[in-house]
Amino acid sequence: MDFLLHERVRRGDQAAFAEIFDEHARVVYAHAIRTTGDWALAEDVMSLTFLEAWRLRDKLRGEVRSVRAWLLGIATNVMRNTARAARRHREAMSRLPPPEGLPDFSDDVVGQLADVQRLAAVARALHRLKRTEREVFTLVVWSDLGYAAVAEALGIPVGTVRSRLSRAREKLRGLVEEELAAGSHGAEPRTHNGHISQSGVTAARAFHRRSTR
């Protein structure tokens, strides 16, 4: 069945690709939001991931053993590029004159749940890891890929996956507690169950349909 579905996708069958989207969109979104801690950015990452997957659909000929690992590898690359673009934007903005003062809306977010704060703390802690360690941790621990699948997604040996994961876990224990103790804020709220909202699926699907016409 997978072989026939992949063959249809390679031939440009958008209905077949929509089946892949429906099966894997939540996994890609969950990976993105846990890595970035940002709802809007995670939806962008998901949309760009499937747009890129459509562009690279010919790889389904036999180079891809696990579609989920393939898509999460693409999502990881999308987030790398997004981080570079954000860094360049921050550098450009830092050269501009400071803006005028804005009203303080802090009272509006007093009711945020503790899990939102923890998600933000984890996201900040993750970004204190080396990029290579962060990518392995999110794919193995949060996206539940096996070592071999992560090795395939990132193009690295299985032994490297194991060593990077071990280092990441050891560092994160302390980093998350440091971030929670600091009590800083800055992450977008997430849904209570930590997964993609239906509006996110709808928006991403619409983006994909427009982009593949």
Side-chain angles (χ1 to χ4, degrees), residues 79-180:
M79 285 187 282
R80 287 177 189 168
N81 295 334
T82 300
R84 290 192 202 100
R87 187 164 55 249
R88 289 194 295 268
H89 176 73
R90 287 194 301 270
E91 290 170 354
M93 293 299 290
S94 69
R95 294 191 289 269
L96 297 176
E100 296 181 4
L102 296 174
D104 182 3
F105 297 105
S106 57
D107 288 344
D108 296 339
V109 296
V110 168
Q112 288 184 334
L113 299 176
D115 65 338
V116 174
Q117 297 176 355
R118 186 164 189 86
L119 174 63
V122 171
R124 291 193 301 272
L126 274 173
H127 282 85
R128 292 172 63 183
L129 294 177
K130 292 181 180 178
R131 175 180 57 79
T132 52
E133 295 169 351
R134 180 171 64 247
E135 291 171 353
V136 166
F137 179 87
T138 56
L139 290 172
V140 173
V141 177
W142 281 344
S143 296
D144 200 28
L145 288 185
Y147 292 162
V150 173
E152 178 185 347
L154 298 180
I156 58 178
V158 172
T160 303
V161 172
R162 292 179 185 276
S163 60
R164 289 180 183 175
L165 179 62
S166 177
R167 289 196 300 270
R169 279 175 165 157
E170 184 177 350
K171 292 178 182 178
L172 272 175
R173 291 188 189 100
L175 292 175
V176 171
E177 295 308 316
E178 285 181 18
E179 292 294 343
L180 286 171

Side-chain angles (χ1 to χ4, degrees), residues 17 20-36 38-39 41-53 67-79 138-139 142-143 145 194-196 201 204:
F17 191 75
I20 290 178
F21 177 92
D22 289 341
E23 182 176 356
H24 298 286
R26 291 179 182 274
V27 172
V28 172
Y29 181 86
H31 175 54
I33 196 170
R34 287 164 173 167
T35 302
T36 66
D38 186 317
W39 270 12
L41 180 56
E43 291 186 1
D44 288 344
V45 168
M46 182 176 66
S47 296
L48 290 169
T49 294
F50 282 95
L51 179 62
E52 184 69 0
V67 172
R68 184 162 69 111
W70 179 57
L71 289 170
L72 290 175
I74 293 173
T76 298
N77 285 328
V78 168
M79 285 187 282
T138 56
L139 290 172
W142 281 344
S143 296
L145 288 185
H195 294 295
I196 182 172
V201 172

Side-chain angles (χ1 to χ4, degrees), residues 1-29 46-47 49-62 64-74 196 201 204-205 208-209 212:
M1 178 64 75
D2 285 347
F3 174 80
L4 295 176
L5 181 64
H6 297 176
E7 181 62 30
R8 287 170 57 200
V9 171
R10 288 197 304 272
R11 292 176 180 175
D13 186 331
Q14 294 184 27
F17 191 75
E19 292 183 38
I20 290 178
F21 177 92
D22 289 341
E23 182 176 356
H24 298 286
R26 291 179 182 274
V27 172
V28 172
Y29 181 86
M46 182 176 66
S47 296
T49 294
F50 282 95
L51 179 62
E52 184 69 0
W54 176 258
R55 186 180 72 82
L56 298 174
R57 63 189 180 276
D58 195 57
K59 289 186 177 293
L60 291 172
R61 187 174 302 280
V64 175
R65 286 179 297 219
S66 165
V67 172
R68 184 162 69 111
W70 179 57
L71 289 170
L72 290 175
I74 293 173
I196 182 172
V201 172
R205 189 187 308 230
H208 164 69
R209 287 174 177 167
T212 54

